[in-house]
Amino acid sequence: MIDLHCHMLPGIDDGPTSLEVSLAMARQAVDDGIHFTACTPHIYPGLYENNRAGIEQAVEDFRRELAAAKIPLQLGVGADTHLAPDLVGGIRSGRVPTICGSRYLLLEPPHHVAPPRFAESVFTLMTAGYIPVITHPERLTWIENHYAVFGDLVKQGAWMQLTAGSLTGRFGKRPQYWSERMLDEGLVHILATDSHHCDKRPPLLAEGRDAAARRLGAEEAHHLVNTRPQAILDDLPPAAVPPLPDVGKPLSRKPGLWTRLFGSP
């Protein structure tokens, strides 16, 4: 499997603070069946002032540590990019990395407040030739009142990435409900771990793949953790990637845990 959203580099953001924890995370990832991890620390102006050159150096240093520890995990360079003025300029100048140099980039919306003109910001990136992969929409506290926005963005060409643990309830019932709903309505392109630690936020992807397989079948689950992530690494255009199942068409869904317990939110 391929994990394109992971905070594994030590001491660079809110991920692991020590090399020992980073190595433990890498071992967990390999044991889980992950062979490639994109290291995607936050780029958050005013908080995490990372840039492509610094991330590349941190990845190269960690590769050497993995080799010394004999951990067979391949690494790539990326960033968990937050909305900021002139994000397109930052990408074009080389300050902000895309996912492994491709046209795809991780875009993390604010967690608690719906940003003004969010759809417009996403569209600006797409018109500049980039494909935003919007991270963990199911965990945003404002998804309930703005759910239609994400469906519209998918129709316009943006990609969606769910956190694997959301599908198994690691983040609570509400993110599980929204992740199941987005899957069932054909709005999800890839799964990733968004791991930050070996204990609190472990790099486990297989559990999410298996949960997706139970809802959508093994083929689509494979696309979520292998085919589409590999297409990003290969920088394929979206037209060359397996399409989403029934995009934009609400399905007759199996009720998720939240629905079974409390009804639809």
Side-chain angles (χ1 to χ4, degrees), residues 119-257:
E120 180 181 327
S121 299
V122 172
F123 185 71
T124 297
L125 285 164
M126 289 191 289
T127 56
Y130 303 105
I131 300 173
V133 180
I134 298 171
T135 63
H136 51 68
E138 81 286 358
R139 287 164 43 205
L140 302 175
T141 61
W142 47 273
I143 186 174
E144 183 170 358
N145 295 322
H146 298 82
Y147 181 71
V149 170
F150 297 99
D152 291 341
L153 289 174
V154 170
K155 291 176 184 177
Q156 293 172 17
W159 282 34
M160 297 289 155
Q161 173 253 304
L162 294 185
T163 305
S166 292
L167 284 168
T168 60
R170 285 184 180 269
F171 293 87
K173 297 180 179 65
R174 184 167 289 277
Q176 185 174 23
Y177 166 82
W178 289 111
S179 60
E180 290 175 340
R181 179 169 175 176
M182 292 186 77
L183 269 184
D184 292 349
E185 294 182 3
L187 300 179
V188 182
H189 295 79
I190 65 172
L191 300 180
T193 67
D194 190 14
S195 177
H196 283 63
H197 196 274
C198 55
D199 295 326
K200 303 168 189 173
R201 299 269 294 273
L204 302 178
L205 192 52
E207 64 181 22
R209 176 202 61 197
D210 295 345
R214 289 191 291 271
R215 303 188 74 83
L216 301 179
E219 182 178 13
E220 177 58 21
H222 182 78
H223 291 332
L224 290 166
V225 298
N226 289 98
T227 315
R228 294 193 194 99
Q230 184 63 55
I232 290 176
L233 297 181
D234 294 338
D235 197 21
L236 297 181
V241 181
L244 296 177
D246 300 309
V247 172
K249 297 178 182 179
L251 305 177
S252 176
R253 299 182 293 111
K254 300 176 185 177
L257 178 61

Side-chain angles (χ1 to χ4, degrees), residues 56-115:
E56 287 176 342
Q57 184 60 58
V59 168
E60 186 56 37
D61 292 345
F62 192 44
R63 284 192 182 115
R64 287 195 292 269
E65 298 292 347
L66 291 179
K70 295 182 170 49
I71 301 173
L73 180 66
Q74 300 175 51
L75 301 180
V77 172
D80 196 2
T81 307
H82 294 248
L83 286 172
D86 197 25
L87 180 54
V88 170
I91 299 169
R92 287 176 171 167
S93 70
R95 178 176 55 83
V96 176
T98 58
I99 303 172
C100 300
S102 70
R103 74 192 75 190
Y104 299 82
L105 78 151
L106 295 184
L107 182 66
E108 179 171 13
H111 191 76
H112 295 295
V113 179

